[in-house]
Amino acid sequence: MSVTYDYIRDPQEIYRQSFAQIQAAADLSALPADIADVAIRIIHACGMPEVLDELAWTNDAAAKGRAALKAGAPIIADCRMAMDGIIRNRLPADNAVLCPLTDERVPDLALEIGNTRSAAAVELWREHLEGAVVVIGNAPTALFHLLEILHDGAPKPSLILGFPVGFVGAAESKEALIEANIGVPYMTLRGRRGGSAIASAALNAVAKDNQ
Amino acid sequence: MSVTYDYIRDPQEIYRQSFAQIQAAADLSALPADIADVAIRIIHACGMPEVLDELAWTNDAAAKGRAALKAGAPIIADCRMAMDGIIRNRLPADNAVLCPLTDERVPDLALEIGNTRSAAAVELWREHLEGAVVVIGNAPTALFHLLEILHDGAPKPSLILGFPVGFVGAAESKEALIEANIGVPYMTLRGRRGGSAIASAALNAVAKDNQ
């Protein structure tokens, strides 16, 4: 039996209606315009307008991240899914996208520092961290350890897109980011929600030049 | 200033506490045991116990999917993020993981069938579809078009893990899956929520042999 469903098949129309629905469902009027652009992409990635209530940011986050990318800054991701969600042809300077999690040194480093492999990989971020755009979509321990090395004097990134997800440490690591007072622009979602799709959507929005 | 945060650094303990929190927050007693295992992984991936209310499944979904994987069935994913979330060393038969979305024929196929590239890629699934495990973590149009070709007589997969996400067509495509009555086991989430992390977590849970 042949069945044809009634659904929208035109990608541009799908985008148009998606963003219209998001703007109808989420009151973005309190956000700076460039932060609202990122918020829309985050909501689009997860299908949940209600995450807007959990969004936290510094006003300079999108501008600083975009300027850094234009100047050629590398992007550092905590996991492969976040890395792979990044739309490469939207990056303004063919920016490097790094994810040292699978580096062969990571398992030994994790034992050495007594932390997860995600946190151990952050040790390998140091040499790329100056001015970089950091994208965390999975591991609370990566965000916690990043904050630790920043407090300890590691080079500062231009932007932290901090979206670890889950039950143990995610909410706490994001609160720590908000309260860290280290002079690094950030965007994050309070609470347990986050993930690679949200993190890479935020990066893609920051990378896109709307000006 | 050196700052050390108080957080759990041991990966086994993070897992243990995560799953304990999930089991405390979500009442899984109404689910078959092997479906509950998948539900736990889905909740773990998104940090939201409340998605349990949206879970829909056929009772044979996990068993049929696992048996297919053990017998060497390929896995077909609609997007790269879902593909990359699959833990390869957990697959029981070194199963192939296919994602034809980036096949060079896809853009022309999309024009030809008047649908998205995600749906056009489904045309390239046909030759691998018999007995395969399908993982959809992004595109409602992929799920709709898969149902269309199945109604039209395409070979049946062993399992559809259907988790497209978003505002346009996601809820509708998943309702269509639930109502399709095509004799293919499935798991899905009603509504707008879904995504690659959930889809690949479901696949990983199906692949893991708890027996």
Side-chain angles (χ1 to χ4, degrees), chain A residues 1-2 5 7 9 21 47-49 80-81 84 114-116 144 148 151-152 167 192-193, chain B residues 1-2 5 7 9 21 47-49 80-81 84 114-116 144 148 151-152 167-168 192-193:
Chain A
M1 182 183 64
S2 187
Y5 292 99
Y7 62 98
R9 293 166 167 76
Q21 284 197 42
M48 297 184 285
R80 183 164 164 175
M81 285 183 82
D84 284 333
N115 209 322
T116 64
F144 268 130
E148 287 171 344
H151 281 300
D152 233 17
F167 293 84
R192 290 194 298 230
R193 292 195 273 216
Chain B
M1 180 183 65
S2 186
Y5 292 98
Y7 62 98
R9 292 164 168 76
Q21 284 197 41
M48 296 184 286
R80 184 163 163 175
M81 284 184 82
D84 284 334
N115 208 321
T116 65
F144 269 130
E148 286 170 345
H151 282 298
D152 233 16
F167 292 84
V168 175
R192 291 194 299 233
R193 292 195 274 214

mmCIF file of all heavy atoms in Angstrom, chain A residues 1-2 5 7 9 21 47-49 80-81 84 114-116 144 148 151-152 167 192-193, chain B residues 1-2 5 7 9 21 47-49 80-81 84 114-116 144 148 151-152 167-168 192-193:
data_model
loop_
_atom_site.group_PDB
_atom_site.id
_atom_site.type_symbol
_atom_site.label_atom_id
_atom_site.label_comp_id
_atom_site.label_asym_id
_atom_site.label_seq_id
_atom_site.Cartn_x
_atom_site.Cartn_y
_atom_site.Cartn_z
ATOM 1 N N MET A 1 0.846 -1.191 0.000
ATOM 2 C CA MET A 1 0.000 0.000 0.000
ATOM 3 C C MET A 1 0.884 1.244 0.000
ATOM 4 O O MET A 1 1.757 1.403 0.858
ATOM 5 C CB MET A 1 -0.876 0.001 1.258
ATOM 6 C CG MET A 1 -1.819 1.169 1.330
ATOM 7 S SD MET A 1 -2.770 1.178 2.883
ATOM 8 C CE MET A 1 -1.486 1.406 4.109
ATOM 9 N N SER A 2 0.671 2.093 -0.966
ATOM 10 C CA SER A 2 1.461 3.316 -1.029
ATOM 11 C C SER A 2 0.831 4.393 -0.131
ATOM 12 O O SER A 2 -0.370 4.625 -0.203
ATOM 13 C CB SER A 2 1.537 3.799 -2.473
ATOM 14 O OG SER A 2 2.426 4.890 -2.563
ATOM 15 N N TYR A 5 2.719 10.871 3.233
ATOM 16 C CA TYR A 5 2.387 11.700 4.392
ATOM 17 C C TYR A 5 2.373 13.168 3.989
ATOM 18 O O TYR A 5 3.089 13.579 3.070
ATOM 19 C CB TYR A 5 3.396 11.460 5.511
ATOM 20 C CG TYR A 5 3.306 10.079 6.103
ATOM 21 C CD1 TYR A 5 4.191 9.071 5.705
ATOM 22 C CD2 TYR A 5 2.344 9.775 7.056
ATOM 23 C CE1 TYR A 5 4.113 7.797 6.265
ATOM 24 C CE2 TYR A 5 2.258 8.500 7.605
ATOM 25 C CZ TYR A 5 3.143 7.521 7.199
ATOM 26 O OH TYR A 5 3.056 6.276 7.749
ATOM 27 N N TYR A 7 3.685 16.378 4.874
ATOM 28 C CA TYR A 7 4.698 17.090 5.678
ATOM 29 C C TYR A 7 5.507 18.003 4.775
ATOM 30 O O TYR A 7 5.492 17.865 3.549
ATOM 31 C CB TYR A 7 5.609 16.092 6.414
ATOM 32 C CG TYR A 7 6.421 15.164 5.543
ATOM 33 C CD1 TYR A 7 7.760 15.441 5.251
ATOM 34 C CD2 TYR A 7 5.870 14.002 5.022
ATOM 35 C CE1 TYR A 7 8.517 14.572 4.461
ATOM 36 C CE2 TYR A 7 6.617 13.135 4.236
ATOM 37 C CZ TYR A 7 7.931 13.434 3.952
ATOM 38 O OH TYR A 7 8.671 12.580 3.165
ATOM 39 N N ARG A 9 8.504 19.371 2.902
ATOM 40 C CA ARG A 9 9.684 18.747 2.322
ATOM 41 C C ARG A 9 10.742 19.756 1.885
ATOM 42 O O ARG A 9 11.852 19.361 1.516
ATOM 43 C CB ARG A 9 9.267 17.911 1.094
ATOM 44 C CG ARG A 9 8.413 16.700 1.446
ATOM 45 C CD ARG A 9 7.743 16.117 0.214
ATOM 46 N NE ARG A 9 7.159 14.798 0.454
ATOM 47 C CZ ARG A 9 6.019 14.584 1.113
ATOM 48 N NH1 ARG A 9 5.345 15.597 1.620
ATOM 49 N NH2 ARG A 9 5.566 13.347 1.287
ATOM 50 N N GLN A 21 8.171 29.409 14.777
ATOM 51 C CA GLN A 21 7.604 28.773 15.970
ATOM 52 C C GLN A 21 8.417 29.094 17.219
ATOM 53 O O GLN A 21 7.862 29.299 18.299
ATOM 54 C CB GLN A 21 7.535 27.252 15.789
ATOM 55 C CG GLN A 21 6.409 26.803 14.880
ATOM 56 C CD GLN A 21 6.116 25.315 15.066
ATOM 57 O OE1 GLN A 21 6.098 24.808 16.183
ATOM 58 N NE2 GLN A 21 5.892 24.621 13.968
ATOM 59 N N GLY A 47 14.534 21.513 20.562
ATOM 60 C CA GLY A 47 13.079 21.493 20.491
ATOM 61 C C GLY A 47 12.388 21.992 21.746
ATOM 62 O O GLY A 47 11.196 21.747 21.929
ATOM 63 N N MET A 48 13.116 22.695 22.600
ATOM 64 C CA MET A 48 12.549 23.098 23.891
ATOM 65 C C MET A 48 12.681 24.598 24.139
ATOM 66 O O MET A 48 13.705 25.058 24.655
ATOM 67 C CB MET A 48 13.255 22.327 25.017
ATOM 68 C CG MET A 48 13.042 20.817 24.949
ATOM 69 S SD MET A 48 13.788 19.918 26.359
ATOM 70 C CE MET A 48 15.534 19.990 25.911
ATOM 71 N N PRO A 49 11.637 25.368 23.837
ATOM 72 C CA PRO A 49 11.707 26.807 24.108
ATOM 73 C C PRO A 49 11.963 27.107 25.584
ATOM 74 O O PRO A 49 12.529 28.148 25.930
ATOM 75 C CB PRO A 49 10.314 27.316 23.694
ATOM 76 C CG PRO A 49 9.748 26.263 22.814
ATOM 77 C CD PRO A 49 10.364 24.967 23.233
ATOM 78 N N ARG A 80 33.619 14.178 20.687
ATOM 79 C CA ARG A 80 33.545 14.099 19.236
ATOM 80 C C ARG A 80 32.189 14.541 18.695
ATOM 81 O O ARG A 80 32.108 15.145 17.624
ATOM 82 C CB ARG A 80 33.849 12.657 18.816
ATOM 83 C CG ARG A 80 33.872 12.493 17.342
ATOM 84 C CD ARG A 80 34.528 11.208 16.917
ATOM 85 N NE ARG A 80 34.178 10.963 15.531
ATOM 86 C CZ ARG A 80 34.651 9.972 14.809
ATOM 87 N NH1 ARG A 80 35.500 9.125 15.332
ATOM 88 N NH2 ARG A 80 34.280 9.819 13.562
ATOM 89 N N MET A 81 31.096 14.232 19.421
ATOM 90 C CA MET A 81 29.795 14.635 18.907
ATOM 91 C C MET A 81 29.690 16.154 18.819
ATOM 92 O O MET A 81 29.126 16.682 17.863
ATOM 93 C CB MET A 81 28.665 14.075 19.774
ATOM 94 C CG MET A 81 28.423 12.585 19.567
ATOM 95 S SD MET A 81 27.019 11.964 20.557
ATOM 96 C CE MET A 81 25.628 12.439 19.525
ATOM 97 N N ASP A 84 31.652 17.233 15.823
ATOM 98 C CA ASP A 84 31.055 16.896 14.536
ATOM 99 C C ASP A 84 29.789 17.684 14.236
ATOM 100 O O ASP A 84 29.337 17.711 13.092
ATOM 101 C CB ASP A 84 30.761 15.397 14.469
ATOM 102 C CG ASP A 84 32.041 14.617 14.238
ATOM 103 O OD1 ASP A 84 32.966 15.196 13.640
ATOM 104 O OD2 ASP A 84 32.109 13.459 14.656
ATOM 105 N N GLY A 114 44.098 11.808 38.544
ATOM 106 C CA GLY A 114 42.980 11.273 39.331
ATOM 107 C C GLY A 114 41.653 11.878 38.935
ATOM 108 O O GLY A 114 40.861 12.321 39.767
ATOM 109 N N ASN A 115 41.397 11.884 37.630
ATOM 110 C CA ASN A 115 40.159 12.484 37.136
ATOM 111 C C ASN A 115 39.720 11.686 35.908
ATOM 112 O O ASN A 115 40.355 10.714 35.522
ATOM 113 C CB ASN A 115 40.408 13.971 36.798
ATOM 114 C CG ASN A 115 39.159 14.836 36.948
ATOM 115 O OD1 ASN A 115 38.058 14.404 36.621
ATOM 116 N ND2 ASN A 115 39.333 16.060 37.440
ATOM 117 N N THR A 116 38.626 12.089 35.310
ATOM 118 C CA THR A 116 38.122 11.376 34.136
ATOM 119 C C THR A 116 39.011 11.639 32.921
ATOM 120 O O THR A 116 39.822 12.568 32.909
ATOM 121 C CB THR A 116 36.707 11.877 33.779
ATOM 122 O OG1 THR A 116 36.820 13.245 33.404
ATOM 123 C CG2 THR A 116 35.747 11.733 34.953
ATOM 124 N N PHE A 144 34.656 21.560 34.911
ATOM 125 C CA PHE A 144 35.271 21.798 36.227
ATOM 126 C C PHE A 144 36.791 21.927 36.103
ATOM 127 O O PHE A 144 37.401 22.843 36.650
ATOM 128 C CB PHE A 144 34.955 20.650 37.186
ATOM 129 C CG PHE A 144 33.723 20.840 38.028
ATOM 130 C CD1 PHE A 144 32.760 19.832 38.104
ATOM 131 C CD2 PHE A 144 33.517 21.991 38.787
ATOM 132 C CE1 PHE A 144 31.624 19.979 38.904
ATOM 133 C CE2 PHE A 144 32.386 22.141 39.586
ATOM 134 C CZ PHE A 144 31.438 21.139 39.652
ATOM 135 N N GLU A 148 39.428 24.953 36.868
ATOM 136 C CA GLU A 148 40.574 24.801 37.783
ATOM 137 C C GLU A 148 41.864 25.298 37.147
ATOM 138 O O GLU A 148 42.630 26.044 37.775
ATOM 139 C CB GLU A 148 40.708 23.324 38.214
ATOM 140 C CG GLU A 148 39.614 22.923 39.203
ATOM 141 C CD GLU A 148 39.551 21.429 39.501
ATOM 142 O OE1 GLU A 148 40.138 20.625 38.740
ATOM 143 O OE2 GLU A 148 38.880 21.062 40.487
ATOM 144 N N HIS A 151 41.790 29.141 36.887
ATOM 145 C CA HIS A 151 42.100 29.767 38.175
ATOM 146 C C HIS A 151 43.594 29.671 38.466
ATOM 147 O O HIS A 151 44.175 30.533 39.112
ATOM 148 C CB HIS A 151 41.329 29.068 39.305
ATOM 149 C CG HIS A 151 39.888 29.469 39.409
ATOM 150 N ND1 HIS A 151 39.478 30.766 39.643
ATOM 151 C CD2 HIS A 151 38.753 28.729 39.341
ATOM 152 C CE1 HIS A 151 38.146 30.806 39.703
ATOM 153 N NE2 HIS A 151 37.683 29.591 39.517
ATOM 154 N N ASP A 152 44.205 28.625 37.953
ATOM 155 C CA ASP A 152 45.623 28.362 38.206
ATOM 156 C C ASP A 152 46.534 29.103 37.242
ATOM 157 O O ASP A 152 47.755 28.900 37.271
ATOM 158 C CB ASP A 152 45.848 26.846 38.058
ATOM 159 C CG ASP A 152 46.525 26.267 39.279
ATOM 160 O OD1 ASP A 152 46.523 26.933 40.335
ATOM 161 O OD2 ASP A 152 47.047 25.139 39.178
ATOM 162 N N PHE A 167 23.293 14.172 35.314
ATOM 163 C CA PHE A 167 22.825 14.121 36.693
ATOM 164 C C PHE A 167 23.905 14.400 37.713
ATOM 165 O O PHE A 167 23.608 14.838 38.817
ATOM 166 C CB PHE A 167 22.198 12.744 36.954
ATOM 167 C CG PHE A 167 20.938 12.540 36.185
ATOM 168 C CD1 PHE A 167 20.964 12.103 34.875
ATOM 169 C CD2 PHE A 167 19.711 12.849 36.756
ATOM 170 C CE1 PHE A 167 19.795 11.966 34.145
ATOM 171 C CE2 PHE A 167 18.545 12.709 36.032
ATOM 172 C CZ PHE A 167 18.586 12.267 34.718
ATOM 173 N N ARG A 192 20.453 20.526 34.539
ATOM 174 C CA ARG A 192 20.982 19.275 33.989
ATOM 175 C C ARG A 192 21.031 19.247 32.482
ATOM 176 O O ARG A 192 21.723 18.433 31.884
ATOM 177 C CB ARG A 192 20.110 18.101 34.470
ATOM 178 C CG ARG A 192 20.266 17.828 35.951
ATOM 179 C CD ARG A 192 19.674 16.486 36.320
ATOM 180 N NE ARG A 192 18.251 16.425 36.054
ATOM 181 C CZ ARG A 192 17.330 16.021 36.926
ATOM 182 N NH1 ARG A 192 17.691 15.660 38.150
ATOM 183 N NH2 ARG A 192 16.064 15.981 36.596
ATOM 184 N N ARG A 193 20.239 20.108 31.841
ATOM 185 C CA ARG A 193 20.138 20.015 30.388
ATOM 186 C C ARG A 193 21.357 20.610 29.692
ATOM 187 O O ARG A 193 21.952 21.571 30.161
ATOM 188 C CB ARG A 193 18.867 20.700 29.910
ATOM 189 C CG ARG A 193 17.646 19.927 30.354
ATOM 190 C CD ARG A 193 16.421 20.351 29.611
ATOM 191 N NE ARG A 193 15.768 21.476 30.250
ATOM 192 C CZ ARG A 193 14.440 21.631 30.294
ATOM 193 N NH1 ARG A 193 13.656 20.737 29.732
ATOM 194 N NH2 ARG A 193 13.910 22.682 30.880
ATOM 195 N N MET B 1 45.233 32.439 41.726
ATOM 196 C CA MET B 1 44.619 31.796 42.886
ATOM 197 C C MET B 1 44.231 30.374 42.503
ATOM 198 O O MET B 1 43.528 30.150 41.529
ATOM 199 C CB MET B 1 43.355 32.563 43.279
ATOM 200 C CG MET B 1 42.642 31.979 44.476
ATOM 201 S SD MET B 1 41.099 32.878 44.847
ATOM 202 C CE MET B 1 40.097 32.548 43.393
ATOM 203 N N SER B 2 44.711 29.413 43.236
ATOM 204 C CA SER B 2 44.385 28.019 42.941
ATOM 205 C C SER B 2 43.045 27.660 43.583
ATOM 206 O O SER B 2 42.810 27.948 44.746
ATOM 207 C CB SER B 2 45.492 27.120 43.487
ATOM 208 O OG SER B 2 45.262 25.793 43.091
ATOM 209 N N TYR B 5 37.616 22.441 42.953
ATOM 210 C CA TYR B 5 36.188 22.253 43.158
ATOM 211 C C TYR B 5 35.931 20.885 43.759
ATOM 212 O O TYR B 5 36.698 19.931 43.532
ATOM 213 C CB TYR B 5 35.443 22.397 41.837
ATOM 214 C CG TYR B 5 35.461 23.797 41.287
ATOM 215 C CD1 TYR B 5 36.371 24.165 40.303
ATOM 216 C CD2 TYR B 5 34.574 24.761 41.758
ATOM 217 C CE1 TYR B 5 36.392 25.454 39.783
ATOM 218 C CE2 TYR B 5 34.589 26.057 41.253
ATOM 219 C CZ TYR B 5 35.500 26.388 40.263
ATOM 220 O OH TYR B 5 35.514 27.668 39.764
ATOM 221 N N TYR B 7 34.021 17.859 43.343
ATOM 222 C CA TYR B 7 33.170 17.112 42.421
ATOM 223 C C TYR B 7 33.721 15.706 42.268
ATOM 224 O O TYR B 7 34.880 15.434 42.601
ATOM 225 C CB TYR B 7 33.063 17.822 41.060
ATOM 226 C CG TYR B 7 34.356 17.974 40.303
ATOM 227 C CD1 TYR B 7 34.714 17.094 39.285
ATOM 228 C CD2 TYR B 7 35.220 19.026 40.588
ATOM 229 C CE1 TYR B 7 35.890 17.251 38.569
ATOM 230 C CE2 TYR B 7 36.401 19.195 39.885
ATOM 231 C CZ TYR B 7 36.733 18.308 38.878
ATOM 232 O OH TYR B 7 37.909 18.478 38.178
ATOM 233 N N ARG B 9 35.317 12.701 40.594
ATOM 234 C CA ARG B 9 36.282 12.564 39.507
ATOM 235 C C ARG B 9 36.410 11.125 39.004
ATOM 236 O O ARG B 9 37.080 10.875 38.001
ATOM 237 C CB ARG B 9 37.659 13.043 39.975
ATOM 238 C CG ARG B 9 37.713 14.545 40.241
ATOM 239 C CD ARG B 9 38.957 14.910 41.057
ATOM 240 N NE ARG B 9 39.190 16.341 41.081
ATOM 241 C CZ ARG B 9 38.498 17.222 41.809
ATOM 242 N NH1 ARG B 9 37.514 16.801 42.577
ATOM 243 N NH2 ARG B 9 38.782 18.506 41.766
ATOM 244 N N GLN B 21 20.440 8.100 40.485
ATOM 245 C CA GLN B 21 19.544 9.271 40.426
ATOM 246 C C GLN B 21 18.426 9.052 39.416
ATOM 247 O O GLN B 21 17.284 9.457 39.643
ATOM 248 C CB GLN B 21 20.328 10.527 40.054
ATOM 249 C CG GLN B 21 21.144 11.093 41.194
ATOM 250 C CD GLN B 21 21.561 12.536 40.919
ATOM 251 O OE1 GLN B 21 20.776 13.344 40.407
ATOM 252 N NE2 GLN B 21 22.798 12.858 41.236
ATOM 253 N N GLY B 47 19.535 14.045 30.459
ATOM 254 C CA GLY B 47 19.377 14.657 31.787
ATOM 255 C C GLY B 47 17.941 14.913 32.176
ATOM 256 O O GLY B 47 17.688 15.685 33.100
ATOM 257 N N MET B 48 16.996 14.283 31.497
ATOM 258 C CA MET B 48 15.577 14.606 31.724
ATOM 259 C C MET B 48 14.761 13.345 32.019
ATOM 260 O O MET B 48 14.276 12.687 31.088
ATOM 261 C CB MET B 48 15.003 15.314 30.497
ATOM 262 C CG MET B 48 15.649 16.660 30.222
ATOM 263 S SD MET B 48 14.896 17.576 28.837
ATOM 264 C CE MET B 48 15.529 16.643 27.437
ATOM 265 N N PRO B 49 14.546 13.021 33.303
ATOM 266 C CA PRO B 49 13.714 11.846 33.621
ATOM 267 C C PRO B 49 12.310 11.965 33.033
ATOM 268 O O PRO B 49 11.659 10.963 32.760
ATOM 269 C CB PRO B 49 13.649 11.859 35.159
ATOM 270 C CG PRO B 49 14.790 12.703 35.599
ATOM 271 C CD PRO B 49 15.050 13.691 34.502
ATOM 272 N N ARG B 80 25.459 12.388 10.975
ATOM 273 C CA ARG B 80 26.784 12.030 11.465
ATOM 274 C C ARG B 80 26.869 12.045 12.986
ATOM 275 O O ARG B 80 27.566 11.224 13.583
ATOM 276 C CB ARG B 80 27.806 13.005 10.862
ATOM 277 C CG ARG B 80 29.203 12.648 11.240
ATOM 278 C CD ARG B 80 30.221 13.326 10.354
ATOM 279 N NE ARG B 80 31.511 13.245 11.024
ATOM 280 C CZ ARG B 80 32.641 13.648 10.490
ATOM 281 N NH1 ARG B 80 32.638 14.191 9.295
ATOM 282 N NH2 ARG B 80 33.770 13.541 11.145
ATOM 283 N N MET B 81 26.184 12.991 13.629
ATOM 284 C CA MET B 81 26.260 13.033 15.092
ATOM 285 C C MET B 81 25.695 11.752 15.711
ATOM 286 O O MET B 81 26.236 11.229 16.674
ATOM 287 C CB MET B 81 25.541 14.258 15.642
ATOM 288 C CG MET B 81 26.321 15.547 15.458
ATOM 289 S SD MET B 81 25.494 16.987 16.219
ATOM 290 C CE MET B 81 25.992 16.817 17.936
ATOM 291 N N ASP B 84 28.238 9.061 15.200
ATOM 292 C CA ASP B 84 29.436 9.181 16.027
ATOM 293 C C ASP B 84 29.173 8.945 17.502
ATOM 294 O O ASP B 84 30.109 8.738 18.272
ATOM 295 C CB ASP B 84 30.075 10.552 15.822
ATOM 296 C CG ASP B 84 30.805 10.604 14.499
ATOM 297 O OD1 ASP B 84 31.219 9.532 14.032
ATOM 298 O OD2 ASP B 84 30.954 11.697 13.949
ATOM 299 N N GLY B 114 12.098 15.827 -4.632
ATOM 300 C CA GLY B 114 11.430 16.987 -4.038
ATOM 301 C C GLY B 114 11.324 16.899 -2.535
ATOM 302 O O GLY B 114 10.263 17.110 -1.944
ATOM 303 N N ASN B 115 12.449 16.567 -1.905
ATOM 304 C CA ASN B 115 12.447 16.419 -0.464
ATOM 305 C C ASN B 115 13.805 16.895 0.057
ATOM 306 O O ASN B 115 14.667 17.335 -0.714
ATOM 307 C CB ASN B 115 12.170 14.943 -0.098
ATOM 308 C CG ASN B 115 11.487 14.778 1.253
ATOM 309 O OD1 ASN B 115 11.796 15.487 2.197
ATOM 310 N ND2 ASN B 115 10.559 13.841 1.329
ATOM 311 N N THR B 116 14.001 16.815 1.350
ATOM 312 C CA THR B 116 15.274 17.251 1.936
ATOM 313 C C THR B 116 16.384 16.268 1.579
ATOM 314 O O THR B 116 16.134 15.141 1.156
ATOM 315 C CB THR B 116 15.171 17.310 3.464
ATOM 316 O OG1 THR B 116 14.961 15.969 3.938
ATOM 317 C CG2 THR B 116 14.029 18.204 3.918
ATOM 318 N N PHE B 144 9.797 10.272 8.064
ATOM 319 C CA PHE B 144 8.617 10.243 7.176
ATOM 320 C C PHE B 144 8.923 9.475 5.895
ATOM 321 O O PHE B 144 8.131 8.635 5.457
ATOM 322 C CB PHE B 144 8.183 11.659 6.806
ATOM 323 C CG PHE B 144 7.167 12.282 7.716
ATOM 324 C CD1 PHE B 144 7.369 13.556 8.246
ATOM 325 C CD2 PHE B 144 5.970 11.623 8.023
ATOM 326 C CE1 PHE B 144 6.411 14.156 9.073
ATOM 327 C CE2 PHE B 144 5.013 12.215 8.845
ATOM 328 C CZ PHE B 144 5.235 13.482 9.365
ATOM 329 N N GLU B 148 7.389 6.040 4.278
ATOM 330 C CA GLU B 148 6.822 5.995 2.924
ATOM 331 C C GLU B 148 7.377 4.832 2.112
ATOM 332 O O GLU B 148 6.627 4.089 1.472
ATOM 333 C CB GLU B 148 7.069 7.333 2.201
ATOM 334 C CG GLU B 148 6.166 8.444 2.731
ATOM 335 C CD GLU B 148 6.526 9.830 2.228
ATOM 336 O OE1 GLU B 148 7.642 10.021 1.695
ATOM 337 O OE2 GLU B 148 5.705 10.744 2.397
ATOM 338 N N HIS B 151 6.007 1.508 3.502
ATOM 339 C CA HIS B 151 4.642 1.262 3.024
ATOM 340 C C HIS B 151 4.658 0.810 1.563
ATOM 341 O O HIS B 151 3.802 0.045 1.121
ATOM 342 C CB HIS B 151 3.784 2.530 3.142
ATOM 343 C CG HIS B 151 3.303 2.824 4.521
ATOM 344 N ND1 HIS B 151 2.484 1.973 5.223
ATOM 345 C CD2 HIS B 151 3.511 3.882 5.340
ATOM 346 C CE1 HIS B 151 2.203 2.498 6.420
ATOM 347 N NE2 HIS B 151 2.814 3.653 6.502
ATOM 348 N N ASP B 152 5.647 1.289 0.840
ATOM 349 C CA ASP B 152 5.747 1.007 -0.592
ATOM 350 C C ASP B 152 6.443 -0.316 -0.886
ATOM 351 O O ASP B 152 6.663 -0.655 -2.057
ATOM 352 C CB ASP B 152 6.544 2.135 -1.250
ATOM 353 C CG ASP B 152 5.811 2.746 -2.424
ATOM 354 O OD1 ASP B 152 4.589 2.515 -2.547
ATOM 355 O OD2 ASP B 152 6.468 3.445 -3.214
ATOM 356 N N PHE B 167 10.727 21.398 15.744
ATOM 357 C CA PHE B 167 9.447 22.081 15.735
ATOM 358 C C PHE B 167 8.579 21.725 14.537
ATOM 359 O O PHE B 167 7.368 21.844 14.594
ATOM 360 C CB PHE B 167 9.684 23.598 15.772
ATOM 361 C CG PHE B 167 10.265 24.038 17.077
ATOM 362 C CD1 PHE B 167 11.624 23.975 17.310
ATOM 363 C CD2 PHE B 167 9.438 24.461 18.096
ATOM 364 C CE1 PHE B 167 12.153 24.337 18.528
ATOM 365 C CE2 PHE B 167 9.952 24.828 19.310
ATOM 366 C CZ PHE B 167 11.311 24.767 19.539
ATOM 367 N N VAL B 168 9.198 21.341 13.435
ATOM 368 C CA VAL B 168 8.428 21.117 12.207
ATOM 369 C C VAL B 168 8.531 19.641 11.804
ATOM 370 O O VAL B 168 9.556 19.191 11.313
ATOM 371 C CB VAL B 168 8.939 22.027 11.069
ATOM 372 C CG1 VAL B 168 8.215 21.706 9.768
ATOM 373 C CG2 VAL B 168 8.726 23.491 11.448
ATOM 374 N N ARG B 192 8.339 16.922 20.574
ATOM 375 C CA ARG B 192 9.434 17.592 19.877
ATOM 376 C C ARG B 192 10.812 17.115 20.289
ATOM 377 O O ARG B 192 11.790 17.329 19.578
ATOM 378 C CB ARG B 192 9.353 19.105 20.139
ATOM 379 C CG ARG B 192 8.164 19.748 19.466
ATOM 380 C CD ARG B 192 8.294 21.257 19.444
ATOM 381 N NE ARG B 192 8.355 21.835 20.758
ATOM 382 C CZ ARG B 192 7.562 22.819 21.202
ATOM 383 N NH1 ARG B 192 6.652 23.338 20.396
ATOM 384 N NH2 ARG B 192 7.689 23.291 22.410
ATOM 385 N N ARG B 193 10.900 16.503 21.467
ATOM 386 C CA ARG B 193 12.230 16.150 21.961
ATOM 387 C C ARG B 193 12.791 14.911 21.278
ATOM 388 O O ARG B 193 12.053 14.004 20.898
ATOM 389 C CB ARG B 193 12.173 15.949 23.471
ATOM 390 C CG ARG B 193 11.899 17.261 24.158
ATOM 391 C CD ARG B 193 12.192 17.199 25.629
ATOM 392 N NE ARG B 193 11.066 16.693 26.385
ATOM 393 C CZ ARG B 193 10.759 17.100 27.616
ATOM 394 N NH1 ARG B 193 11.486 18.031 28.210
ATOM 395 N NH2 ARG B 193 9.728 16.595 28.257
#
